[in-house]
Amino acid sequence: MGTEAMFGITGKDFVIIAADCQAAFSIIRIKNDADKIWQVGNMLFACSGPPADTANFMEFIEKNIKLHELRTGLPLSTKAAASFTRNELAHALRKGPFQTDLLVAGIDADGPGLYFMDYLASCEKVNKAAHGYGAMFTLGLLDRYWKPDLTVLEAIDIIKKCIKELETRFIVDLGNFKIK
């Protein structure tokens, strides 16, 4: 768990993910315009951890999902992509682990899906999720304000409250956030 924050929330027909834009090494900010949310097919993958691990792992996942689509002619569902990603994390765990935490989001025929995944390859479908030190400040807000019939405007308001809470209470300045 690094000095990062990424969180996601589902509504009745959408998913929103937000992530800070800083890339850091130890206590040094390398850059403040990093995009930690990857578009893979029709899904979003938010990935946090050491910049080398996140870039390497997400490029691997992105290329393999695209390869599957080219071979079969069918796109992976969000659940299938999350399962594939979890399986690859589990395999890597026994060889050379990636220190990456992920949120996988997408909308399929059965509605929106948000999957919480950590570097130990645990995976769970959730309605709201957060990773990093920022999760300590945002999970309470997500629990308090989330409801099953959430509208897009209400979800954006919750995301803004989470970012405001981090700016107010977290000792580390995370800078800007990207929301997709």
Side-chain angles (χ1 to χ4, degrees), residues 32-44:
N32 60 2
D33 62 348
D35 189 356
K36 297 179 183 181
I37 304 175
W38 298 62
Q39 177 85 38
V40 179
N42 61 349
M43 297 163 284
L44 295 174

Side-chain angles (χ1 to χ4, degrees), residues 147-158:
K147 57 186 179 182
D149 59 343
L150 198 66
T151 67
V152 174
L153 291 176
E154 290 171 330
I156 291 170
D157 185 52
I158 294 170

Side-chain angles (χ1 to χ4, degrees), residues 6-160:
M6 63 180 193
F7 38 92
I9 190 166
T10 62
K12 65 180 178 184
D13 58 356
F14 65 90
V15 182
I16 295 178
I17 294 181
D20 69 283
C21 293
Q22 82 171 1
F25 177 74
S26 184
I27 60 170
I28 301 166
R29 181 179 295 170
I30 298 169
K31 60 190 280 188
N32 60 2
D33 62 348
D35 189 356
K36 297 179 183 181
I37 304 175
W38 298 62
Q39 177 85 38
V40 179
N42 61 349
M43 297 163 284
L44 295 174
F45 283 67
C47 190
S48 69
D53 278 0
T54 59
N56 189 10
F57 185 69
M58 280 311 306
E59 286 175 10
F60 173 77
I61 293 298
E62 180 180 28
K63 302 304 180 205
N64 277 279
I65 288 175
K66 182 63 177 172
L67 178 63
H68 177 273
E69 188 175 318
L70 291 171
R71 283 183 174 164
T72 65
L74 300 170
L76 284 178
S77 67
T78 307
K79 182 178 181 178
S83 294
F84 170 74
T85 305
R86 192 213 71 79
N87 192 41
E88 292 302 323
L89 272 175
H91 275 294
L93 189 60
R94 284 137 185 90
K95 295 177 184 173
F98 293 101
Q99 295 176 358
T100 57
D101 294 322
L102 295 105
L103 297 177
V104 181
I107 300 172
D108 297 319
D110 60 341
L114 177 63
Y115 292 84
F116 175 93
M117 203 173 309
D118 69 4
Y119 71 101
L120 294 173
S122 66
C123 180
E124 186 66 35
K125 184 175 183 181
V126 294
N127 295 315
K128 56 212 175 290
H131 272 300
Y133 280 134
M136 296 179 190
F137 302 100
T138 59
L139 281 173
L141 290 169
L142 294 171
D143 283 338
R144 179 180 208 170
Y145 294 110
W146 182 85
K147 57 186 179 182
D149 59 343
L150 198 66
T151 67
V152 174
L153 291 176
E154 290 171 330
I156 291 170
D157 185 52
I158 294 170
I159 296 293
K160 287 179 181 177

